[in-house]
Amino acid sequence: MGDSAYSFSLTTFSRTGKLLQIEYALNAVANGRTALGICAKDGVVIATDKKLPSVLVDTAHVHKMETITPTTGFCYSGVGPDYRVLVKRARKSSQAYVRMYGDIEPISQLVKSTAGVMQEYTQRGGVRPFGVSLLVAGLDGDGRPGLYQVDPSGAYFGWKATAIGKNFVSAKSFLEKRYSDDMELEDAIHTALLTLREGFEGEMSADNIEVGIVKQDGKFQVLTPEQIQ
């Protein structure tokens, strides 16, 4: 009996030690639009392709980047409705942290709680894994900028630079050649745009991408098309 016999069960490991529904969730991420992030010495930038299937869609109402706390933002690749659920959960978690401790939740705590939610959906019957990977940009408790990736399995990693979604392999290769430890935020924004353009289908413009930044001494903000230009 091969692995295919286990492909419809979330809670049963295959004979090779895999949970196949999680692998299928990762396939949904790999089919999504490209998103990438770069952690510079004075801030973090995350950028994503939000090209739409029809020119009739109003791009002003399509948001792939969301502010979670004043110093932290999310973007994703994969299934959009699943992303909305995680954004709502993360905002509730951050507000609970503020009520309890009277301070903004650090990015490391926010990532850990969000990864915990995603992991819960890999070990219970009657549910399925979230079909998204997240890129989380923000500041930690000591003010240091951080960039994290959270996968459908609930695994999370800190990165200097990374990419998810369609063409993530070539995007990561491009970032490996361009990244340096002493990179400043302005250089990181420029590199992020160059990386997106490498695998972009059609003409890239300020209206079909989104860019979010967090400075070491500031708040998370999504750049307007005018600022991107």
mmCIF file of all heavy atoms in Angstrom, residues 75-102:
data_model
loop_
_atom_site.group_PDB
_atom_site.id
_atom_site.type_symbol
_atom_site.label_atom_id
_atom_site.label_comp_id
_atom_site.label_asym_id
_atom_site.label_seq_id
_atom_site.Cartn_x
_atom_site.Cartn_y
_atom_site.Cartn_z
ATOM 1 N N CYS A 75 2.150 39.337 5.159
ATOM 2 C CA CYS A 75 1.714 39.096 3.784
ATOM 3 C C CYS A 75 1.749 37.592 3.564
ATOM 4 O O CYS A 75 2.263 36.847 4.403
ATOM 5 C CB CYS A 75 2.544 39.867 2.757
ATOM 6 S SG CYS A 75 4.170 39.212 2.417
ATOM 7 N N TYR A 76 1.180 37.124 2.462
ATOM 8 C CA TYR A 76 0.988 35.681 2.307
ATOM 9 C C TYR A 76 1.122 35.251 0.860
ATOM 10 O O TYR A 76 1.100 36.050 -0.065
ATOM 11 C CB TYR A 76 -0.401 35.284 2.808
ATOM 12 C CG TYR A 76 -1.517 35.583 1.826
ATOM 13 C CD1 TYR A 76 -2.050 34.583 1.017
ATOM 14 C CD2 TYR A 76 -2.019 36.874 1.661
ATOM 15 C CE1 TYR A 76 -3.061 34.847 0.104
ATOM 16 C CE2 TYR A 76 -3.030 37.144 0.764
ATOM 17 C CZ TYR A 76 -3.549 36.136 -0.011
ATOM 18 O OH TYR A 76 -4.537 36.408 -0.925
ATOM 19 N N SER A 77 1.209 33.929 0.718
ATOM 20 C CA SER A 77 1.023 33.284 -0.582
ATOM 21 C C SER A 77 0.160 32.064 -0.338
ATOM 22 O O SER A 77 0.364 31.330 0.629
ATOM 23 C CB SER A 77 2.362 32.874 -1.193
ATOM 24 O OG SER A 77 2.158 32.280 -2.458
ATOM 25 N N GLY A 78 -0.851 31.856 -1.206
ATOM 26 C CA GLY A 78 -1.726 30.708 -1.044
ATOM 27 C C GLY A 78 -3.187 31.085 -1.134
ATOM 28 O O GLY A 78 -3.578 31.886 -1.989
ATOM 29 N N VAL A 79 -3.993 30.541 -0.235
ATOM 30 C CA VAL A 79 -5.448 30.680 -0.274
ATOM 31 C C VAL A 79 -5.873 31.913 0.535
ATOM 32 O O VAL A 79 -5.730 31.939 1.757
ATOM 33 C CB VAL A 79 -6.127 29.409 0.287
ATOM 34 C CG1 VAL A 79 -7.639 29.531 0.211
ATOM 35 C CG2 VAL A 79 -5.634 28.172 -0.468
ATOM 36 N N GLY A 80 -6.423 32.909 -0.149
ATOM 37 C CA GLY A 80 -6.762 34.181 0.480
ATOM 38 C C GLY A 80 -7.697 34.104 1.673
ATOM 39 O O GLY A 80 -7.432 34.711 2.713
ATOM 40 N N PRO A 81 -8.830 33.371 1.592
ATOM 41 C CA PRO A 81 -9.743 33.297 2.737
ATOM 42 C C PRO A 81 -9.092 32.718 3.998
ATOM 43 O O PRO A 81 -9.410 33.121 5.111
ATOM 44 C CB PRO A 81 -10.871 32.394 2.227
ATOM 45 C CG PRO A 81 -10.861 32.598 0.747
ATOM 46 C CD PRO A 81 -9.418 32.749 0.389
ATOM 47 N N ASP A 82 -8.185 31.753 3.827
ATOM 48 C CA ASP A 82 -7.465 31.206 4.988
ATOM 49 C C ASP A 82 -6.614 32.286 5.639
ATOM 50 O O ASP A 82 -6.480 32.346 6.865
ATOM 51 C CB ASP A 82 -6.567 30.041 4.554
ATOM 52 C CG ASP A 82 -7.356 28.791 4.179
ATOM 53 O OD1 ASP A 82 -8.596 28.875 4.087
ATOM 54 O OD2 ASP A 82 -6.735 27.741 3.979
ATOM 55 N N TYR A 83 -6.040 33.141 4.817
ATOM 56 C CA TYR A 83 -5.213 34.241 5.311
ATOM 57 C C TYR A 83 -6.032 35.186 6.182
ATOM 58 O O TYR A 83 -5.584 35.623 7.244
ATOM 59 C CB TYR A 83 -4.609 34.983 4.114
ATOM 60 C CG TYR A 83 -3.851 36.243 4.431
ATOM 61 C CD1 TYR A 83 -2.708 36.203 5.219
ATOM 62 C CD2 TYR A 83 -4.242 37.469 3.903
ATOM 63 C CE1 TYR A 83 -1.986 37.355 5.487
ATOM 64 C CE2 TYR A 83 -3.538 38.625 4.158
ATOM 65 C CZ TYR A 83 -2.401 38.571 4.953
ATOM 66 O OH TYR A 83 -1.694 39.715 5.215
ATOM 67 N N ARG A 84 -7.256 35.492 5.748
ATOM 68 C CA ARG A 84 -8.111 36.399 6.521
ATOM 69 C C ARG A 84 -8.377 35.864 7.923
ATOM 70 O O ARG A 84 -8.411 36.614 8.896
ATOM 71 C CB ARG A 84 -9.433 36.647 5.795
ATOM 72 C CG ARG A 84 -9.303 37.471 4.533
ATOM 73 C CD ARG A 84 -10.636 38.096 4.162
ATOM 74 N NE ARG A 84 -11.691 37.101 3.989
ATOM 75 C CZ ARG A 84 -11.968 36.504 2.835
ATOM 76 N NH1 ARG A 84 -11.257 36.780 1.760
ATOM 77 N NH2 ARG A 84 -12.957 35.625 2.755
ATOM 78 N N VAL A 85 -8.570 34.538 8.024
ATOM 79 C CA VAL A 85 -8.812 33.922 9.332
ATOM 80 C C VAL A 85 -7.591 34.100 10.237
ATOM 81 O O VAL A 85 -7.714 34.444 11.420
ATOM 82 C CB VAL A 85 -9.148 32.421 9.171
ATOM 83 C CG1 VAL A 85 -9.220 31.727 10.525
ATOM 84 C CG2 VAL A 85 -10.456 32.248 8.421
ATOM 85 N N LEU A 86 -6.403 33.879 9.685
ATOM 86 C CA LEU A 86 -5.176 34.005 10.476
ATOM 87 C C LEU A 86 -4.913 35.458 10.886
ATOM 88 O O LEU A 86 -4.439 35.715 12.000
ATOM 89 C CB LEU A 86 -3.980 33.462 9.686
ATOM 90 C CG LEU A 86 -3.952 31.944 9.520
ATOM 91 C CD1 LEU A 86 -2.868 31.532 8.529
ATOM 92 C CD2 LEU A 86 -3.728 31.255 10.858
ATOM 93 N N VAL A 87 -5.233 36.400 10.006
ATOM 94 C CA VAL A 87 -5.083 37.814 10.347
ATOM 95 C C VAL A 87 -5.986 38.171 11.520
ATOM 96 O O VAL A 87 -5.570 38.840 12.479
ATOM 97 C CB VAL A 87 -5.405 38.705 9.120
ATOM 98 C CG1 VAL A 87 -5.587 40.161 9.536
ATOM 99 C CG2 VAL A 87 -4.284 38.603 8.090
ATOM 100 N N LYS A 88 -7.238 37.696 11.463
ATOM 101 C CA LYS A 88 -8.192 37.975 12.550
ATOM 102 C C LYS A 88 -7.702 37.374 13.866
ATOM 103 O O LYS A 88 -7.740 38.031 14.923
ATOM 104 C CB LYS A 88 -9.559 37.405 12.173
ATOM 105 C CG LYS A 88 -10.661 37.734 13.159
ATOM 106 C CD LYS A 88 -12.006 37.184 12.673
ATOM 107 C CE LYS A 88 -13.117 37.495 13.665
ATOM 108 N NZ LYS A 88 -14.425 36.967 13.193
ATOM 109 N N ARG A 89 -7.221 36.131 13.820
ATOM 110 C CA ARG A 89 -6.720 35.468 15.027
ATOM 111 C C ARG A 89 -5.507 36.218 15.587
ATOM 112 O O ARG A 89 -5.385 36.384 16.810
ATOM 113 C CB ARG A 89 -6.319 34.031 14.698
ATOM 114 C CG ARG A 89 -7.452 33.091 14.373
ATOM 115 C CD ARG A 89 -8.184 32.619 15.633
ATOM 116 N NE ARG A 89 -9.066 31.512 15.351
ATOM 117 C CZ ARG A 89 -8.742 30.231 15.509
ATOM 118 N NH1 ARG A 89 -7.553 29.896 15.943
ATOM 119 N NH2 ARG A 89 -9.626 29.282 15.247
ATOM 120 N N ALA A 90 -4.606 36.637 14.700
ATOM 121 C CA ALA A 90 -3.389 37.324 15.146
ATOM 122 C C ALA A 90 -3.716 38.669 15.784
ATOM 123 O O ALA A 90 -3.102 39.061 16.790
ATOM 124 C CB ALA A 90 -2.436 37.510 13.963
ATOM 125 N N ARG A 91 -4.686 39.387 15.229
ATOM 126 C CA ARG A 91 -5.078 40.673 15.805
ATOM 127 C C ARG A 91 -5.692 40.490 17.190
ATOM 128 O O ARG A 91 -5.434 41.273 18.106
ATOM 129 C CB ARG A 91 -6.041 41.397 14.859
ATOM 130 C CG ARG A 91 -5.328 42.005 13.657
ATOM 131 C CD ARG A 91 -6.302 42.597 12.665
ATOM 132 N NE ARG A 91 -5.587 43.297 11.595
ATOM 133 C CZ ARG A 91 -6.111 43.604 10.425
ATOM 134 N NH1 ARG A 91 -7.376 43.277 10.161
ATOM 135 N NH2 ARG A 91 -5.408 44.234 9.510
ATOM 136 N N LYS A 92 -6.503 39.448 17.348
ATOM 137 C CA LYS A 92 -7.077 39.163 18.662
ATOM 138 C C LYS A 92 -5.983 38.824 19.665
ATOM 139 O O LYS A 92 -6.006 39.276 20.815
ATOM 140 C CB LYS A 92 -8.071 37.997 18.565
ATOM 141 C CG LYS A 92 -9.423 38.375 18.003
ATOM 142 C CD LYS A 92 -10.383 37.195 18.094
ATOM 143 C CE LYS A 92 -11.784 37.608 17.658
ATOM 144 N NZ LYS A 92 -12.742 36.469 17.731
ATOM 145 N N SER A 93 -5.018 38.020 19.225
ATOM 146 C CA SER A 93 -3.910 37.636 20.098
ATOM 147 C C SER A 93 -3.096 38.854 20.528
ATOM 148 O O SER A 93 -2.728 38.990 21.703
ATOM 149 C CB SER A 93 -3.004 36.637 19.360
ATOM 150 O OG SER A 93 -1.769 36.490 20.011
ATOM 151 N N SER A 94 -2.843 39.762 19.584
ATOM 152 C CA SER A 94 -2.037 40.947 19.906
ATOM 153 C C SER A 94 -2.784 41.883 20.848
ATOM 154 O O SER A 94 -2.187 42.508 21.733
ATOM 155 C CB SER A 94 -1.635 41.683 18.620
ATOM 156 O OG SER A 94 -2.761 42.197 17.944
ATOM 157 N N GLN A 95 -4.115 41.974 20.690
ATOM 158 C CA GLN A 95 -4.898 42.807 21.601
ATOM 159 C C GLN A 95 -4.944 42.212 23.004
ATOM 160 O O GLN A 95 -4.900 42.941 24.000
ATOM 161 C CB GLN A 95 -6.321 42.974 21.054
ATOM 162 C CG GLN A 95 -6.426 43.914 19.874
ATOM 163 C CD GLN A 95 -5.902 45.304 20.196
ATOM 164 O OE1 GLN A 95 -6.312 45.929 21.157
ATOM 165 N NE2 GLN A 95 -4.966 45.774 19.389
ATOM 166 N N ALA A 96 -5.016 40.893 23.095
ATOM 167 C CA ALA A 96 -4.979 40.230 24.405
ATOM 168 C C ALA A 96 -3.642 40.501 25.096
ATOM 169 O O ALA A 96 -3.592 40.710 26.315
ATOM 170 C CB ALA A 96 -5.200 38.729 24.239
ATOM 171 N N TYR A 97 -2.570 40.510 24.318
ATOM 172 C CA TYR A 97 -1.230 40.790 24.868
ATOM 173 C C TYR A 97 -1.174 42.222 25.411
ATOM 174 O O TYR A 97 -0.643 42.466 26.496
ATOM 175 C CB TYR A 97 -0.177 40.580 23.778
ATOM 176 C CG TYR A 97 1.253 40.664 24.275
ATOM 177 C CD1 TYR A 97 1.952 39.513 24.622
ATOM 178 C CD2 TYR A 97 1.910 41.893 24.382
ATOM 179 C CE1 TYR A 97 3.265 39.580 25.074
ATOM 180 C CE2 TYR A 97 3.221 41.962 24.829
ATOM 181 C CZ TYR A 97 3.897 40.812 25.173
ATOM 182 O OH TYR A 97 5.191 40.889 25.630
ATOM 183 N N VAL A 98 -1.745 43.174 24.653
ATOM 184 C CA VAL A 98 -1.750 44.570 25.096
ATOM 185 C C VAL A 98 -2.542 44.721 26.396
ATOM 186 O O VAL A 98 -2.118 45.423 27.323
ATOM 187 C CB VAL A 98 -2.341 45.482 23.987
ATOM 188 C CG1 VAL A 98 -2.569 46.897 24.525
ATOM 189 C CG2 VAL A 98 -1.408 45.538 22.784
ATOM 190 N N ARG A 99 -3.692 44.052 26.467
ATOM 191 C CA ARG A 99 -4.515 44.140 27.685
ATOM 192 C C ARG A 99 -3.789 43.565 28.897
ATOM 193 O O ARG A 99 -3.910 44.081 30.003
ATOM 194 C CB ARG A 99 -5.846 43.409 27.489
ATOM 195 C CG ARG A 99 -6.846 44.152 26.624
ATOM 196 C CD ARG A 99 -8.264 43.626 26.839
ATOM 197 N NE ARG A 99 -8.345 42.183 26.675
ATOM 198 C CZ ARG A 99 -8.576 41.563 25.531
ATOM 199 N NH1 ARG A 99 -8.715 42.269 24.414
ATOM 200 N NH2 ARG A 99 -8.658 40.245 25.466
ATOM 201 N N MET A 100 -3.045 42.487 28.677
ATOM 202 C CA MET A 100 -2.387 41.820 29.797
ATOM 203 C C MET A 100 -1.099 42.522 30.234
ATOM 204 O O MET A 100 -0.840 42.681 31.432
ATOM 205 C CB MET A 100 -2.082 40.364 29.431
ATOM 206 C CG MET A 100 -1.463 39.562 30.574
ATOM 207 S SD MET A 100 -1.352 37.806 30.218
ATOM 208 C CE MET A 100 -3.081 37.334 30.289
ATOM 209 N N TYR A 101 -0.303 42.967 29.248
ATOM 210 C CA TYR A 101 1.021 43.491 29.575
ATOM 211 C C TYR A 101 1.170 44.991 29.331
ATOM 212 O O TYR A 101 2.193 45.579 29.699
ATOM 213 C CB TYR A 101 2.101 42.746 28.765
ATOM 214 C CG TYR A 101 2.125 41.268 29.043
ATOM 215 C CD1 TYR A 101 1.638 40.356 28.111
ATOM 216 C CD2 TYR A 101 2.628 40.773 30.245
ATOM 217 C CE1 TYR A 101 1.648 38.988 28.356
ATOM 218 C CE2 TYR A 101 2.645 39.407 30.503
ATOM 219 C CZ TYR A 101 2.159 38.524 29.562
ATOM 220 O OH TYR A 101 2.180 37.180 29.829
ATOM 221 N N GLY A 102 0.170 45.617 28.692
ATOM 222 C CA GLY A 102 0.232 47.053 28.462
ATOM 223 C C GLY A 102 1.295 47.471 27.467
ATOM 224 O O GLY A 102 1.762 48.619 27.505
#
